[in-house]
Amino acid sequence: MYEHPYLAYAVTESQQAEIQQAADRRRFLIEHADQIVPRAAGPLRRLGQRMLRVARSARGTSTGRVSSGSRTPDAAGHNPIDRPSAAGCEPAPAR
């Protein structure tokens, strides 16, 4: 009631312009797909890949690993490897 109709018009117009720009970008990428070259991995991507590689190798070579053929679920249906174990932490009193 107290809003000026121009505000709604301006918002709608800017949203339509963004949608049009996104459509133009997608069309351009589809038309020039043969010119797209993957960028070399930067420092953050290399760090992330290294962390994933370490996490996967640590999961595969854990000390309590059971061969994949002898994994049997316990009574609750959990696999022994997937179940979290206690880390020896004592509960802290509430402050």
Side-chain angles (χ1 to χ4, degrees):
M1 181 160 102
Y2 295 107
E3 294 177 3
H4 196 278
Y6 176 75
L7 176 64
Y9 176 76
V11 169
T12 303
E13 196 172 86
S14 69
Q15 288 175 344
Q16 288 176 349
E18 288 176 9
I19 291 170
Q20 183 63 37
Q21 287 174 352
D24 290 341
R25 225 177 291 126
R26 282 192 297 273
R27 182 188 47 78
F28 180 84
L29 290 174
I30 290 170
E31 290 175 356
H32 298 88
D34 57 331
Q35 298 176 4
I36 298 173
V37 179
R39 184 183 298 179
L44 289 177
R45 184 177 294 170
R46 287 193 308 263
L47 176 67
Q49 290 171 347
R50 194 175 311 134
M51 290 171 61
L52 284 174
R53 209 170 22 247
V54 167
R56 288 181 187 141
S57 67
R59 189 179 327 159
T61 60
S62 63
T63 58
R65 180 161 185 191
V66 179
S67 66
S68 61
S70 64
R71 286 187 189 176
T72 56
D74 62 2
H78 299 104
N79 285 329
I81 293 177
D82 297 336
R83 188 175 52 232
S85 60
C89 298
E90 295 295 324
R95 293 185 199 181

Coordinates of all heavy atoms in Angstrom, one line a residue:
M1 N 0.8 -1.2 0.0 CA 0.0 0.0 0.0 C 0.9 1.3 0.0 O 0.6 2.2 -0.7 CB -0.9 0.0 1.2 CG -1.8 1.1 1.3 SD -3.2 0.8 2.4 CE -2.7 1.6 3.8
Y2 N 1.9 1.2 0.8 CA 2.8 2.4 0.9 C 4.0 2.3 -0.1 O 4.7 3.3 -0.2 CB 3.3 2.6 2.3 CG 2.1 2.9 3.3 CD1 1.7 2.0 4.2 CD2 1.5 4.2 3.2 CE1 0.7 2.2 5.0 CE2 0.4 4.4 4.1 CZ 0.0 3.5 5.0 OH -1.0 3.7 5.8
E3 N 4.2 1.2 -0.7 CA 5.3 1.0 -1.6 C 5.0 1.6 -3.0 O 3.9 1.5 -3.5 CB 5.7 -0.5 -1.8 CG 6.2 -1.1 -0.5 CD 6.4 -2.6 -0.7 OE1 6.3 -3.1 -1.8 OE2 6.8 -3.2 0.3
H4 N 6.0 2.2 -3.5 CA 5.8 2.8 -4.8 C 5.9 1.7 -5.9 O 6.8 0.8 -5.8 CB 6.9 3.9 -5.1 CG 6.6 4.8 -6.2 ND1 6.9 4.4 -7.5 CD2 6.1 6.0 -6.2 CE1 6.5 5.4 -8.3 NE2 6.0 6.4 -7.6
P5 N 5.1 1.7 -6.9 CA 5.1 0.6 -7.8 C 6.4 0.5 -8.6 O 6.7 -0.5 -9.2 CB 3.9 0.9 -8.7 CG 3.4 2.2 -8.4 CD 4.0 2.6 -7.1
Y6 N 7.1 1.6 -8.7 CA 8.4 1.6 -9.4 C 9.4 0.6 -8.8 O 10.2 0.0 -9.6 CB 9.0 3.0 -9.4 CG 10.3 3.1 -10.1 CD1 10.4 3.0 -11.5 CD2 11.5 3.1 -9.4 CE1 11.7 3.0 -12.1 CE2 12.7 3.1 -10.0 CZ 12.8 3.1 -11.4 OH 14.0 3.1 -12.0
L7 N 9.4 0.4 -7.5 CA 10.3 -0.5 -6.9 C 10.1 -1.9 -7.4 O 11.0 -2.6 -7.8 CB 10.2 -0.5 -5.4 CG 11.0 -1.4 -4.6 CD1 12.5 -1.1 -4.8 CD2 10.7 -1.4 -3.1
A8 N 8.8 -2.4 -7.4 CA 8.5 -3.7 -7.9 C 8.9 -3.8 -9.4 O 9.4 -4.8 -9.8 CB 7.1 -4.0 -7.7
Y9 N 8.7 -2.8 -10.1 CA 9.0 -2.8 -11.6 C 10.5 -2.9 -11.7 O 11.0 -3.6 -12.6 CB 8.4 -1.5 -12.2 CG 8.8 -1.4 -13.7 CD1 8.2 -2.2 -14.6 CD2 9.8 -0.5 -14.1 CE1 8.5 -2.1 -16.0 CE2 10.2 -0.4 -15.4 CZ 9.6 -1.2 -16.3 OH 9.9 -1.1 -17.7
A10 N 11.3 -2.1 -11.0 CA 12.7 -2.1 -11.1 C 13.3 -3.5 -10.7 O 14.2 -4.0 -11.4 CB 13.3 -1.0 -10.2
V11 N 12.8 -4.1 -9.6 CA 13.2 -5.4 -9.2 C 12.9 -6.4 -10.3 O 13.8 -7.2 -10.7 CB 12.6 -5.8 -7.9 CG1 12.9 -7.3 -7.5 CG2 13.1 -4.9 -6.8
T12 N 11.7 -6.4 -10.8 CA 11.4 -7.4 -11.9 C 12.2 -7.2 -13.1 O 12.7 -8.2 -13.7 CB 9.9 -7.2 -12.2 OG1 9.1 -7.4 -11.1 CG2 9.4 -8.2 -13.3
E13 N 12.5 -6.0 -13.5 CA 13.3 -5.7 -14.6 C 14.7 -6.2 -14.4 O 15.3 -6.7 -15.4 CB 13.3 -4.2 -14.9 CG 13.8 -3.8 -16.3 CD 13.6 -2.3 -16.5 OE1 14.4 -1.5 -16.1 OE2 12.5 -1.9 -17.1
S14 N 15.3 -6.0 -13.3 CA 16.7 -6.4 -13.0 C 16.8 -7.9 -13.0 O 17.7 -8.5 -13.5 CB 17.2 -5.8 -11.7 OG 16.6 -6.4 -10.6
Q15 N 15.7 -8.6 -12.4 CA 15.7 -10.0 -12.4 C 15.6 -10.6 -13.8 O 16.3 -11.6 -14.2 CB 14.6 -10.6 -11.6 CG 14.8 -10.4 -10.1 CD 13.6 -10.8 -9.3 OE1 12.5 -11.0 -9.8 NE2 13.8 -11.0 -8.0
Q16 N 14.8 -10.0 -14.7 CA 14.7 -10.4 -16.0 C 16.0 -10.2 -16.8 O 16.4 -11.0 -17.6 CB 13.5 -9.7 -16.7 CG 12.2 -10.2 -16.3 CD 11.1 -9.4 -16.9 OE1 11.3 -8.3 -17.5 NE2 9.8 -9.9 -16.7
A17 N 16.7 -9.1 -16.5 CA 18.0 -8.9 -17.1 C 19.0 -9.9 -16.7 O 19.8 -10.4 -17.6 CB 18.5 -7.5 -16.8
E18 N 19.0 -10.3 -15.4 CA 19.9 -11.4 -14.9 C 19.6 -12.7 -15.6 O 20.5 -13.4 -16.0 CB 19.8 -11.5 -13.4 CG 20.4 -10.4 -12.7 CD 20.2 -10.5 -11.2 OE1 19.8 -11.6 -10.7 OE2 20.5 -9.5 -10.4
I19 N 18.3 -13.0 -15.8 CA 17.9 -14.3 -16.4 C 18.4 -14.3 -17.9 O 18.9 -15.3 -18.4 CB 16.4 -14.5 -16.3 CG1 16.1 -14.8 -14.8 CG2 15.9 -15.6 -17.2 CD1 14.6 -14.8 -14.5
Q20 N 18.2 -13.1 -18.5 CA 18.7 -13.0 -19.9 C 20.2 -13.2 -20.1 O 20.7 -13.9 -21.0 CB 18.2 -11.7 -20.5 CG 18.5 -11.5 -22.0 CD 17.8 -12.6 -22.8 OE1 16.7 -12.9 -22.6 NE2 18.5 -13.0 -23.9
Q21 N 20.9 -12.6 -19.2 CA 22.4 -12.7 -19.2 C 22.8 -14.1 -19.0 O 23.7 -14.6 -19.6 CB 23.0 -11.8 -18.2 CG 23.0 -10.3 -18.5 CD 23.5 -9.4 -17.4 OE1 23.7 -9.9 -16.3 NE2 23.6 -8.1 -17.7
A22 N 22.2 -14.8 -18.0 CA 22.5 -16.2 -17.8 C 22.2 -17.1 -19.0 O 23.0 -18.0 -19.3 CB 21.8 -16.7 -16.5
A23 N 21.1 -16.8 -19.7 CA 20.7 -17.6 -20.9 C 21.7 -17.3 -22.0 O 22.2 -18.2 -22.7 CB 19.3 -17.2 -21.3
D24 N 22.2 -16.1 -22.1 CA 23.2 -15.7 -23.1 C 24.5 -16.4 -22.8 O 25.2 -16.9 -23.7 CB 23.4 -14.2 -23.2 CG 22.2 -13.5 -23.8 OD1 21.4 -14.1 -24.5 OD2 22.1 -12.2 -23.6
R25 N 24.9 -16.4 -21.5 CA 26.1 -17.1 -21.1 C 26.1 -18.6 -21.5 O 27.0 -19.2 -22.0 CB 26.3 -16.9 -19.6 CG 27.7 -16.5 -19.3 CD 27.9 -16.2 -17.8 NE 27.2 -15.0 -17.4 CZ 26.3 -14.9 -16.4 NH1 26.0 -15.9 -15.7 NH2 25.8 -13.8 -16.2
R26 N 24.9 -19.2 -21.1 CA 24.8 -20.7 -21.4 C 24.8 -20.9 -22.9 O 25.5 -21.9 -23.4 CB 23.5 -21.2 -20.8 CG 23.6 -21.4 -19.3 CD 22.4 -22.2 -18.8 NE 21.1 -21.5 -19.0 CZ 20.6 -20.6 -18.2 NH1 21.2 -20.4 -17.1 NH2 19.5 -20.0 -18.4
R27 N 24.1 -20.1 -23.7 CA 24.1 -20.3 -25.1 C 25.6 -20.1 -25.7 O 26.0 -20.9 -26.5 CB 23.2 -19.2 -25.8 CG 23.1 -19.3 -27.3 CD 22.3 -18.2 -27.9 NE 22.7 -16.9 -27.4 CZ 23.8 -16.2 -27.8 NH1 24.6 -16.7 -28.7 NH2 24.1 -15.0 -27.3
F28 N 26.3 -19.1 -25.2 CA 27.7 -18.9 -25.7 C 28.5 -20.1 -25.4 O 29.3 -20.5 -26.2 CB 28.2 -17.6 -25.0 CG 29.7 -17.3 -25.5 CD1 29.9 -16.7 -26.6 CD2 30.7 -17.7 -24.7 CE1 31.2 -16.4 -27.0 CE2 32.0 -17.5 -25.1 CZ 32.3 -16.8 -26.2
L29 N 28.4 -20.6 -24.1 CA 29.2 -21.8 -23.8 C 28.9 -23.0 -24.6 O 29.8 -23.8 -25.0 CB 29.0 -22.1 -22.3 CG 29.6 -21.1 -21.3 CD1 29.3 -21.4 -19.9 CD2 31.1 -21.0 -21.5
I30 N 27.6 -23.2 -24.9 CA 27.2 -24.3 -25.7 C 27.8 -24.2 -27.2 O 28.3 -25.1 -27.8 CB 25.7 -24.5 -25.8 CG1 25.2 -24.9 -24.4 CG2 25.2 -25.4 -26.8 CD1 23.7 -24.9 -24.2
E31 N 27.7 -23.0 -27.7 CA 28.2 -22.7 -29.0 C 29.7 -22.8 -29.1 O 30.3 -23.2 -30.2 CB 27.8 -21.3 -29.5 CG 26.3 -21.2 -29.8 CD 25.9 -19.8 -30.2 OE1 26.7 -18.9 -30.1 OE2 24.7 -19.6 -30.5
H32 N 30.4 -22.5 -28.1 CA 31.9 -22.5 -28.1 C 32.5 -23.6 -27.2 O 33.6 -23.5 -26.6 CB 32.4 -21.2 -27.7 CG 32.0 -20.1 -28.6 ND1 30.9 -19.4 -28.4 CD2 32.6 -19.6 -29.7 CE1 30.8 -18.5 -29.4 NE2 31.8 -18.6 -30.2
A33 N 31.8 -24.8 -27.1 CA 32.3 -25.8 -26.2 C 33.6 -26.4 -26.6 O 34.4 -26.8 -25.8 CB 31.2 -26.9 -26.2
D34 N 33.9 -26.4 -27.9 CA 35.2 -26.9 -28.4 C 36.4 -26.0 -28.0 O 37.5 -26.4 -28.0 CB 35.2 -27.1 -29.9 CG 34.9 -25.8 -30.7 OD1 34.2 -24.9 -30.1 OD2 35.3 -25.6 -31.8
Q35 N 36.1 -24.8 -27.6 CA 37.2 -23.8 -27.3 C 37.5 -23.8 -25.8 O 38.4 -23.2 -25.3 CB 36.8 -22.4 -27.7 CG 36.7 -22.3 -29.2 CD 36.2 -20.9 -29.6 OE1 36.1 -20.0 -28.8 NE2 36.0 -20.7 -30.9
I36 N 36.7 -24.5 -25.0 CA 36.8 -24.5 -23.5 C 38.0 -25.4 -23.1 O 38.0 -26.6 -23.5 CB 35.5 -24.9 -22.8 CG1 34.4 -23.9 -23.2 CG2 35.7 -25.0 -21.3 CD1 33.1 -24.3 -22.7
V37 N 38.9 -24.9 -22.4 CA 40.1 -25.7 -22.0 C 40.1 -25.7 -20.4 O 39.9 -24.6 -19.8 CB 41.4 -25.1 -22.5 CG1 42.6 -25.8 -22.0 CG2 41.4 -25.0 -24.0
P38 N 40.2 -26.9 -19.8 CA 40.2 -26.9 -18.4 C 41.4 -26.1 -17.8 O 42.5 -26.2 -18.3 CB 40.2 -28.4 -18.0 CG 40.6 -29.1 -19.2 CD 40.3 -28.2 -20.4
R39 N 41.1 -25.4 -16.8 CA 42.1 -24.6 -16.1 C 43.0 -25.5 -15.3 O 42.5 -26.5 -14.6 CB 41.5 -23.6 -15.2 CG 42.4 -22.6 -14.6 CD 41.7 -21.7 -13.7 NE 40.8 -20.8 -14.5 CZ 40.1 -19.9 -13.9 NH1 40.0 -19.7 -12.6 NH2 39.3 -19.2 -14.7
A40 N 44.3 -25.2 -15.2 CA 45.2 -26.0 -14.3 C 44.8 -25.8 -12.9 O 44.3 -24.8 -12.5 CB 46.6 -25.6 -14.5
A41 N 45.0 -26.9 -12.1 CA 44.6 -26.8 -10.7 C 45.4 -25.8 -9.9 O 46.6 -25.8 -10.0 CB 44.7 -28.2 -10.0
G42 N 44.7 -24.9 -9.2 CA 45.4 -23.9 -8.4 C 45.8 -24.5 -7.1 O 45.6 -25.7 -6.8
P43 N 46.3 -23.7 -6.2 CA 46.8 -24.2 -4.9 C 45.7 -24.7 -4.0 O 45.9 -25.7 -3.3 CB 47.4 -22.9 -4.2 CG 47.0 -21.8 -5.0 CD 46.6 -22.2 -6.4
L44 N 44.5 -24.1 -4.0 CA 43.4 -24.6 -3.2 C 42.9 -26.0 -3.7 O 42.6 -26.9 -2.9 CB 42.2 -23.6 -3.1 CG 42.5 -22.4 -2.3 CD1 41.4 -21.4 -2.4 CD2 42.9 -22.7 -0.9
R45 N 42.7 -26.1 -5.0 CA 42.3 -27.3 -5.6 C 43.3 -28.5 -5.3 O 42.9 -29.6 -5.0 CB 42.0 -27.2 -7.1 CG 41.4 -28.5 -7.6 CD 41.1 -28.4 -9.1 NE 40.0 -27.4 -9.2 CZ 39.6 -27.0 -10.4 NH1 40.2 -27.3 -11.5 NH2 38.6 -26.1 -10.5
R46 N 44.6 -28.1 -5.5 CA 45.6 -29.2 -5.2 C 45.6 -29.6 -3.7 O 45.7 -30.7 -3.4 CB 47.0 -28.6 -5.6 CG 47.2 -28.6 -7.1 CD 48.7 -28.3 -7.4 NE 49.2 -27.2 -6.7 CZ 49.4 -26.0 -7.2 NH1 49.0 -25.7 -8.4 NH2 49.9 -25.0 -6.5
L47 N 45.4 -28.6 -2.8 CA 45.3 -28.9 -1.4 C 44.1 -29.8 -1.1 O 44.2 -30.8 -0.4 CB 45.2 -27.6 -0.6 CG 45.0 -27.8 0.9 CD1 46.3 -28.4 1.5 CD2 44.7 -26.4 1.5
G48 N 43.0 -29.5 -1.7 CA 41.8 -30.3 -1.5 C 42.0 -31.7 -2.0 O 41.6 -32.7 -1.4
Q49 N 42.6 -31.8 -3.2 CA 42.8 -33.2 -3.8 C 43.8 -34.0 -2.9 O 43.6 -35.1 -2.6 CB 43.4 -33.0 -5.2 CG 42.3 -32.6 -6.2 CD 42.9 -32.2 -7.5 OE1 44.1 -32.2 -7.7 NE2 42.1 -32.1 -8.5
R50 N 44.8 -33.3 -2.4 CA 45.7 -33.9 -1.5 C 45.1 -34.4 -0.2 O 45.3 -35.5 0.3 CB 46.9 -33.0 -1.2 CG 48.1 -33.7 -0.5 CD 49.2 -32.7 -0.3 NE 49.5 -31.9 -1.5 CZ 49.7 -30.6 -1.6 NH1 49.7 -29.9 -0.4 NH2 49.9 -30.0 -2.7
M51 N 44.2 -33.6 0.4 CA 43.5 -33.9 1.6 C 42.6 -35.1 1.3 O 42.5 -36.0 2.2 CB 42.7 -32.7 2.1 CG 43.6 -31.6 2.7 SD 42.7 -30.1 3.1 CE 41.6 -30.7 4.4
L52 N 41.9 -35.1 0.2 CA 41.0 -36.3 -0.1 C 41.8 -37.5 -0.3 O 41.4 -38.6 0.2 CB 40.2 -36.0 -1.4 CG 39.0 -35.0 -1.2 CD1 38.4 -34.7 -2.5 CD2 38.0 -35.6 -0.3
R53 N 42.9 -37.4 -1.0 CA 43.8 -38.6 -1.2 C 44.3 -39.2 0.2 O 44.3 -40.4 0.4 CB 45.0 -38.2 -2.1 CG 45.5 -39.3 -2.9 CD 46.5 -38.8 -4.0 NE 47.2 -37.6 -3.7 CZ 47.1 -36.5 -4.5 NH1 46.2 -36.5 -5.5 NH2 47.8 -35.4 -4.2
V54 N 44.7 -38.3 1.1 CA 45.2 -38.7 2.4 C 44.0 -39.3 3.2 O 44.2 -40.4 3.8 CB 45.8 -37.5 3.2 CG1 46.0 -37.9 4.6 CG2 47.1 -37.1 2.5
A55 N 42.9 -38.7 3.1 CA 41.7 -39.3 3.9 C 41.3 -40.7 3.3 O 41.0 -41.6 4.1 CB 40.5 -38.3 3.8
R56 N 41.3 -40.8 2.0 CA 41.0 -42.1 1.5 C 42.0 -43.2 1.8 O 41.7 -44.3 2.1 CB 40.8 -42.0 -0.1 CG 39.6 -41.3 -0.5 CD 39.5 -41.2 -2.0 NE 38.4 -40.4 -2.4 CZ 38.4 -39.6 -3.4 NH1 39.5 -39.5 -4.2 NH2 37.4 -38.8 -3.7
S57 N 43.3 -42.8 1.7 CA 44.3 -43.8 2.1 C 44.3 -44.1 3.6 O 44.5 -45.3 3.9 CB 45.7 -43.3 1.6 OG 46.1 -42.2 2.4
A58 N 44.0 -43.1 4.4 CA 44.0 -43.4 5.8 C 42.8 -44.3 6.2 O 42.9 -45.2 7.0 CB 43.8 -42.1 6.6
R59 N 41.7 -44.1 5.5 CA 40.5 -45.0 5.7 C 40.8 -46.4 5.3 O 40.3 -47.3 5.9 CB 39.3 -44.4 5.0 CG 38.0 -45.1 5.4 CD 36.8 -44.5 4.7 NE 36.9 -43.1 4.4 CZ 36.2 -42.5 3.5 NH1 35.4 -43.2 2.7 NH2 36.3 -41.2 3.3
G60 N 41.5 -46.5 4.2 CA 41.8 -47.9 3.7 C 42.9 -48.6 4.4 O 42.9 -49.8 4.4
T61 N 43.7 -47.9 5.1 CA 44.8 -48.6 5.8 C 44.8 -48.4 7.3 O 45.8 -48.4 8.0 CB 46.2 -48.0 5.3 OG1 46.2 -46.6 5.6 CG2 46.4 -48.3 3.9
S62 N 43.6 -48.3 7.9 CA 43.4 -48.2 9.3 C 43.9 -49.4 10.0 O 43.9 -50.5 9.5 CB 42.0 -47.8 9.7 OG 41.2 -48.9 9.4
T63 N 44.3 -49.3 11.3 CA 44.9 -50.5 12.0 C 43.9 -51.6 12.3 O 44.3 -52.7 12.3 CB 45.6 -50.0 13.3 OG1 44.5 -49.4 14.1 CG2 46.7 -49.0 13.1
G64 N 42.7 -51.2 12.5 CA 41.7 -52.2 12.8 C 40.9 -52.7 11.5 O 39.8 -53.1 11.6
R65 N 41.6 -52.7 10.4 CA 40.9 -53.0 9.2 C 40.6 -54.5 9.1 O 41.4 -55.3 9.4 CB 41.7 -52.6 8.0 CG 41.0 -53.0 6.7 CD 41.5 -52.2 5.6 NE 40.6 -52.6 4.4 CZ 40.8 -52.2 3.2 NH1 41.9 -51.6 2.9 NH2 40.0 -52.6 2.3
V66 N 39.4 -54.8 8.7 CA 39.0 -56.2 8.5 C 38.8 -56.4 7.0 O 38.4 -55.5 6.3 CB 37.6 -56.4 9.2 CG1 37.1 -57.9 9.0 CG2 37.7 -56.1 10.7
S67 N 39.1 -57.5 6.5 CA 39.0 -57.8 5.1 C 37.6 -57.6 4.7 O 36.7 -57.8 5.4 CB 39.5 -59.2 4.7 OG 38.6 -60.1 5.2
S68 N 37.4 -57.1 3.4 CA 36.0 -56.7 3.0 C 35.1 -57.9 3.0 O 33.9 -57.8 3.1 CB 36.1 -56.1 1.6 OG 36.6 -57.0 0.7
G69 N 35.6 -59.2 2.8 CA 34.8 -60.3 2.8 C 34.3 -60.7 4.2 O 33.2 -61.4 4.3
S70 N 34.9 -60.3 5.3 CA 34.5 -60.8 6.6 C 33.8 -59.7 7.4 O 33.7 -59.8 8.6 CB 35.7 -61.3 7.4 OG 36.7 -60.2 7.5
R71 N 33.4 -58.6 6.8 CA 32.7 -57.6 7.5 C 31.3 -58.1 7.8 O 30.5 -58.4 6.9 CB 32.5 -56.3 6.7 CG 33.8 -55.5 6.5 CD 33.4 -54.2 5.8 NE 34.7 -53.5 5.5 CZ 34.7 -52.4 4.8 NH1 33.6 -51.9 4.4 NH2 35.8 -51.8 4.5
T72 N 31.0 -58.2 9.0 CA 29.6 -58.6 9.4 C 29.0 -57.5 10.3 O 29.6 -57.0 11.2 CB 29.7 -59.9 10.2 OG1 30.5 -59.8 11.3 CG2 30.2 -61.0 9.3
P73 N 27.8 -57.2 10.0 CA 27.1 -56.2 10.9 C 26.8 -56.7 12.3 O 26.6 -57.9 12.5 CB 25.8 -55.9 10.1 CG 25.8 -56.7 8.9 CD 27.0 -57.6 8.9
D74 N 26.8 -55.8 13.3 CA 26.5 -56.3 14.6 C 25.0 -56.3 14.8 O 24.2 -56.2 13.8 CB 27.2 -55.3 15.6 CG 26.7 -53.9 15.5 OD1 25.9 -53.6 14.7 OD2 27.2 -53.1 16.3
A75 N 24.5 -56.4 16.0 CA 23.1 -56.6 16.3 C 22.3 -55.3 15.8 O 21.2 -55.4 15.4 CB 22.9 -56.8 17.7
A76 N 22.9 -54.1 15.9 CA 22.3 -52.9 15.5 C 22.3 -52.7 14.0 O 21.8 -51.7 13.5 CB 22.9 -51.7 16.2
G77 N 23.1 -53.5 13.3 CA 23.1 -53.4 11.8 C 24.3 -52.5 11.4 O 24.4 -52.1 10.2
H78 N 25.2 -52.2 12.3 CA 26.4 -51.3 11.9 C 27.6 -52.2 11.6 O 27.8 -53.2 12.2 CB 26.7 -50.4 13.1 CG 25.6 -49.4 13.4 ND1 24.9 -49.6 14.5 CD2 25.2 -48.3 12.8 CE1 24.0 -48.7 14.6 NE2 24.1 -47.9 13.6
N79 N 28.4 -51.8 10.6 CA 29.6 -52.4 10.3 C 30.6 -52.0 11.4 O 30.7 -50.9 11.8 CB 30.1 -52.1 8.9 CG 29.3 -52.9 7.9 OD1 28.9 -54.0 8.1 ND2 29.2 -52.2 6.7
P80 N 31.5 -52.9 11.8 CA 32.5 -52.5 12.8 C 33.4 -51.4 12.4 O 33.9 -50.6 13.2 CB 33.3 -53.8 13.1 CG 32.8 -54.8 12.1 CD 31.6 -54.3 11.4
I81 N 33.7 -51.3 11.1 CA 34.6 -50.3 10.7 C 33.9 -48.9 10.6 O 34.5 -47.9 10.9 CB 35.2 -50.6 9.3 CG1 36.1 -51.9 9.4 CG2 36.0 -49.5 8.7 CD1 36.7 -52.4 8.2
D82 N 32.7 -48.9 10.3 CA 31.9 -47.7 10.1 C 31.5 -47.1 11.5 O 31.2 -45.9 11.6 CB 30.7 -47.9 9.3 CG 31.0 -48.3 7.9 OD1 32.1 -48.0 7.4 OD2 30.2 -49.0 7.3
R83 N 31.5 -47.9 12.5 CA 31.1 -47.4 13.8 C 32.1 -46.5 14.5 O 33.3 -46.9 14.5 CB 30.7 -48.6 14.7 CG 30.1 -48.2 16.0 CD 29.6 -49.4 16.8 NE 30.7 -50.4 17.0 CZ 30.6 -51.7 16.7 NH1 29.4 -52.1 16.2 NH2 31.6 -52.5 16.8
P84 N 31.8 -45.3 15.0 CA 32.8 -44.5 15.6 C 33.3 -45.1 16.9 O 32.5 -45.8 17.6 CB 32.1 -43.2 15.8 CG 30.7 -43.5 15.8 CD 30.5 -44.7 14.9
S85 N 34.5 -45.0 17.3 CA 35.0 -45.5 18.6 C 35.3 -44.3 19.5 O 35.5 -43.2 19.1 CB 36.3 -46.3 18.3 OG 37.3 -45.5 17.8
A86 N 35.3 -44.6 20.8 CA 35.6 -43.6 21.8 C 37.1 -43.2 21.7 O 38.0 -44.0 21.5 CB 35.3 -44.2 23.2
A87 N 37.4 -41.9 21.8 CA 38.7 -41.4 21.7 C 39.4 -41.2 23.0 O 40.5 -40.7 23.1 CB 38.7 -40.1 20.9
G88 N 38.8 -41.7 24.1 CA 39.4 -41.5 25.4 C 39.2 -40.2 26.0 O 40.0 -39.8 26.9
C89 N 38.3 -39.4 25.6 CA 38.0 -38.1 26.1 C 37.1 -38.1 27.3 O 36.1 -38.8 27.3 CB 37.4 -37.2 25.1 SG 38.5 -36.9 23.7
E90 N 37.5 -37.4 28.4 CA 36.6 -37.3 29.5 C 35.5 -36.3 29.3 O 35.8 -35.2 28.7 CB 37.4 -37.0 30.8 CG 38.4 -38.1 31.2 CD 37.8 -39.4 31.6 OE1 36.7 -39.3 32.2 OE2 38.3 -40.4 31.2
P91 N 34.3 -36.5 29.8 CA 33.3 -35.4 29.6 C 33.7 -34.2 30.4 O 34.2 -34.3 31.5 CB 32.0 -36.1 30.2 CG 32.5 -37.3 30.9 CD 33.8 -37.7 30.4
A92 N 33.5 -33.0 29.8 CA 33.8 -31.8 30.5 C 32.5 -31.3 31.3 O 31.4 -31.5 30.8 CB 34.2 -30.7 29.5
P93 N 32.8 -30.7 32.4 CA 31.6 -30.2 33.2 C 31.0 -29.0 32.5 O 31.7 -28.2 31.9 CB 32.2 -29.8 34.5 CG 33.6 -29.7 34.3 CD 34.0 -30.6 33.2
A94 N 29.7 -28.8 32.6 CA 29.0 -27.7 32.0 C 29.4 -26.4 32.8 O 29.6 -26.4 34.0 CB 27.5 -27.9 32.0
R95 N 29.6 -25.3 32.0 CA 29.9 -24.0 32.7 C 28.7 -23.2 33.0 O 27.7 -23.2 32.4 CB 30.8 -23.2 31.8 CG 32.1 -23.9 31.6 CD 33.0 -23.0 30.8 NE 34.1 -23.8 30.2 CZ 35.1 -23.3 29.5 NH1 35.1 -22.0 29.2 NH2 36.0 -24.0 29.1

